[in-house]
Amino acid sequence: MPNPVVVGVDDVAGSGAAVDWAADEARLRGARLLLVHARLWEPHRTPEHAPQGAGVGEQAVAELVERAVRRHPGLPVDSVGLDQVPRDALVALSAEGQLVVVGSRGTGGFPDLLTGSTALHVAADAVCPAVVVPGTVAYAPGTGGATGSVAVGVHGREAEEELLRFAFEAAQRRQSPLRVVHAWSYPLVGHGRAVPPVYEEGHIAAEEERLVAEVLAGWRQRYPEVAVEQDVVRSGPAKRLVALSTTSQLIVVGRRGNPDGPLGRLGSVSQAVVHHARCPVAVVPLP
């Protein structure tokens, strides 16, 4: 059997949505599901926000395992409890998994920033693709999320083989359309201001459409059963993807940020989408 889909769990209420989504994904991939409960506190967390202890945690994990099995009878489901900090445990296990899934719950008190530090850390550092699942959405069994397309944000001028492969395969598994999003803006000239008079918006838009069409030509041939829609817009990429998250079942973004930069490997666009999206977000490591 292929490598597992790994999902980090804590309490039943906070982990249910992530387990449901991960169980659906494991079934779609023909993989086993591995529930991971890491028992040590994050360095910044107070005891009331800390992961549950061994006894309580084991009971919660047992309930979540039962939940996954009820959702998909016959799905191979395993669990493991580790005396590690959750983010470190999940990043380490991402080297063995084909996907690592985390819930987005945060405890910072900001309603529009729903993503906790563990989810951000895993999304930034996981070896395999990571999926952050909002806890506010109920997932019907087998759908892998709400109905709607899979949406992927592309740059269009860089090699994005892993990103597009992940997005096309996700759409193919779900038998859903794939919306390929490419956001563009006028070049900034002098004092950070756009100076558009020398540009014709229609010409730029047409050139950007052509660029994305060229990128997708080979992929359409490889995945002829996936209906592809180009979404080339003059907008900020994070703004467009977050807007689409209200009607999409999955948003896919790439990650190639500088590990020593202020946002780490996640990058500004990916971090904004993970923070604000209303559907699951897959973050794919790029070379």
Side-chain angles (χ1 to χ4, degrees), residues 246-287:
T246 61
T247 57
S248 300
Q249 59 175 298
L250 180 67
I251 300 291
V252 184
V253 294
R255 186 200 81 197
R256 56 157 55 92
N258 177 4
D260 298 321
L263 298 174
R265 292 183 177 88
L266 201 52
S268 59
V269 171
S270 297
Q271 186 173 90
V273 175
V274 169
H275 264 311
H276 295 287
R278 302 301 174 179
C279 73
V281 177
V283 180
V284 180
L286 301 177

Side-chain angles (χ1 to χ4, degrees), residues 41 51 105 162 202 254:
W41 299 351
R105 185 180 61 179
E162 292 86 352

